[in-house]
Amino acid sequence: MNIELMRKLTQANGIGGCEDEVRDIIAEELKPLTSGLRTDAMGNLIGTIEGTGGPTVVVTAHMDEIGFIVRFIEESGYVRLQPVGGFDPRTLVAQRVAVHTRKHGVLNGTLMPGVKPIHLLGPNDKKELDLQDFFVDLGIKADDVKDQVQIGDMVTMRREFEEMGDMVVSKCLDDRIGCYVMIEAIKAVGKVNATVIPVAAVQEEVGLRGATTAGYGVQPDITIALDTTIAGDIPGMPTDAAVTKLGNGAAIKVFDSSQLPNRKLIAHLQEIAEQNDIPFQLEVLPRGGTDAGAFQRAAAGSFTCTVSIPSRYVHSVNEMCAKSDIQACVDLVAQFLREAGTRDYGYGIG
Ligand code: CO
Ligand code: ZN
């Protein structure tokens, strides 16, 4: 496995609308593999691998990570934040962040909630945290903060990539590990009948926005989205709510709140996995969606499904994926791209 590429992708920083660093890395990888590499008005990165007359197939992963922008700078120099994407405040206490200033480089800071420390907490003081409670301390004088930081500057979580046992752990495996699977599947695929269009999408975490314009722009016949999903095989989780388990293989999406995937496409992916001994699990995610949901409904629609990489602790800085699941996703997607065009997923009548 290309561990260094995983490290590079996860250590790059890019919230919705600021995906430049990630786009540059993926463009460098896709350039030798595709023709006509381009960006659209939203910043989606789109390439083409010409086929020999088959359907047009998009394989897509999102580049953006959840993060913040600077919302307000206090007189005292503390920085207040606007979340860009869905954070659970319980995962944010005592983290470290990077403030990416426009003119003064990257400033490191601590992320803490502005609530009474435990030593001073009375019996009636509030104990639950809200996202609005958090602030950044940059460790520099208030005047320097006001001089160097601007409203709108990007703020990202800091946490290094690490191999841990059979797993990898990092910030924003959601969805840089999907970007990794997209790149590696395309490297592995070889000759294709279908025209394959890799799309590195922007702004997924704020509501599948990049995928919407990419869907209208490309209008593919078939779309496979790659994203992480909940692996709920942890303490405190009822077994029937686990969604997926780490190490049980690539997850083939059956349901999420953004799409009901095409049933024939689900069946095809399952058959490919079974015939090629690729470990897989079927996934029902009660809440949350993926970019396939946007592609499915763009213009006149496309046949969609999502291949998910199971992840523990999604939307925390300790997102954890199994190396074997990541490889299973690469193998499944590569084989699907080789076979794309051999089946009809339509609802033909008569
Ligand atoms: Co996410
Ligand atoms: Zn994601």
Side-chain angles (χ1 to χ4, degrees):
M1 303 190 86
N2 192 343
I3 295 289
E4 275 324 298
L5 179 58
M6 287 184 206
R7 190 187 308 278
K8 214 164 136 184
L9 285 165
T10 56
Q11 293 306 293
N13 298 296
I15 64 165
C18 310
E19 295 92 347
D20 310 63
E21 206 184 316
V22 188
R23 186 166 38 239
D24 286 349
I25 295 169
I26 299 175
E28 197 183 302
E29 295 291 326
L30 290 183
K31 207 159 214 168
L33 304 167
T34 59
S35 60
L37 199 62
R38 60 198 185 274
T39 54
D40 69 5
M42 283 196 74
N44 296 304
L45 179 70
I46 304 169
T48 302
I49 300 158
E50 287 297 345
T52 53
T56 302
V57 183
V58 157
V59 54
T60 186
H62 70 88
M63 296 187 283
D64 60 310
E65 67 190 272
I66 54 171
F68 306 90
I69 55 171
V70 172
R71 170 173 64 83
F72 181 75
I73 299 161
E74 306 257 9
E75 249 337 286
S76 51
Y78 294 118
V79 173
R80 294 290 188 164
L81 302 171
Q82 168 64 43
V84 181
F87 278 108
D88 179 345
R90 294 173 299 179
T91 66
L92 288 175
V93 178
Q95 296 295 340
R96 303 214 180 148
V97 294
V99 177
H100 303 260
T101 71
R102 277 170 256 187
K103 292 184 200 129
H104 300 272
V106 177
L107 303 175
N108 288 336
T110 60
L111 185 62
M112 297 299 293
V115 292
K116 277 189 198 168
I118 189 141
H119 317 79
L120 308 177
L121 213 55
N124 297 320
D125 286 327
K126 125 181 151 115
K127 288 196 186 69
E128 312 80 61
L129 291 172
D130 294 321
L131 281 175
Q132 299 303 325
D133 293 332
F134 286 85
F135 64 91
V136 178
D137 183 344
L138 291 167
I140 54 176
K141 291 195 186 75
D143 284 343
D144 293 335
V145 176
K146 288 175 216 161
D147 188 44
Q148 297 178 29
V149 178
Q150 282 189 71
I151 305 299
D153 284 348
M154 171 169 80
V155 181
T156 56
M157 306 300 294
R158 290 170 52 208
R159 189 57 69 96
E160 69 279 14
F161 173 93
E162 206 175 328
E163 292 178 82
M164 195 179 278
D166 302 326
M167 317 295 181
V168 292
V169 183
S170 181
K171 80 174 184 77
C172 70
L173 287 174
D174 177 9
D175 186 26
R176 303 293 161 65
I177 209 67
C179 296
Y180 171 88
V181 170
M182 177 179 77
I183 293 165
E184 291 300 307
I186 284 170
K187 279 184 193 162
V189 75
K191 228 177 162 28
V192 279
N193 177 236
T195 294
V196 176
I197 313 272
V199 175
V202 296
Q203 299 190 31
E204 188 271 353
E205 296 288 358
V206 288
L208 322 183
R209 295 182 193 173
T212 302
T213 60
Y216 277 88
V218 177
Q219 299 199 13
D221 301 304
I222 301 163
T223 304
I224 303 290
L226 306 167
D227 209 335
T228 58
T229 193
I230 309 284
D233 54 343
I234 55 169
M237 193 73 143
T239 48
D240 77 296
V243 184
T244 64
K245 288 190 179 134
L246 227 58
N248 277 15
I252 300 170
K253 185 85 81 180
V254 177
F255 178 100
D256 69 28
S257 61
S258 72
Q259 65 164 334
L260 293 164
N262 178 282
R263 289 255 158 185
K264 292 177 187 168
L265 186 47
I266 296 170
H268 190 189
L269 287 163
Q270 181 171 348
E271 277 176 48
I272 290 172
E274 283 164 352
Q275 283 162 10
N276 296 277
D277 294 319
I278 298 166
F280 74 99
Q281 43 196 323
L282 296 171
E283 176 205 351
V284 174
L285 182 69
R287 265 199 304 277
T290 68
D291 278 340
F295 275 92
Q296 189 178 47
R297 284 175 284 172
S302 80
F303 304 127
T304 66
C305 194
T306 299
V307 173
S308 309
I309 308 102
S311 170
R312 289 182 191 147
Y313 325 119
V314 170
H315 284 198
S316 81
V317 290
N318 281 327
E319 292 179 342
M320 180 186 283
C321 292
K323 290 179 188 173
S324 61
D325 293 341
I326 299 167
Q327 190 57 49
C329 290
V330 172
D331 295 344
L332 178 59
V333 173
Q335 187 55 30
F336 175 78
L337 294 176
R338 287 181 205 116
E339 290 188 20
T342 59
R343 298 269 182 110
D344 178 16
Y345 310 114
Y347 303 89
I349 51 169

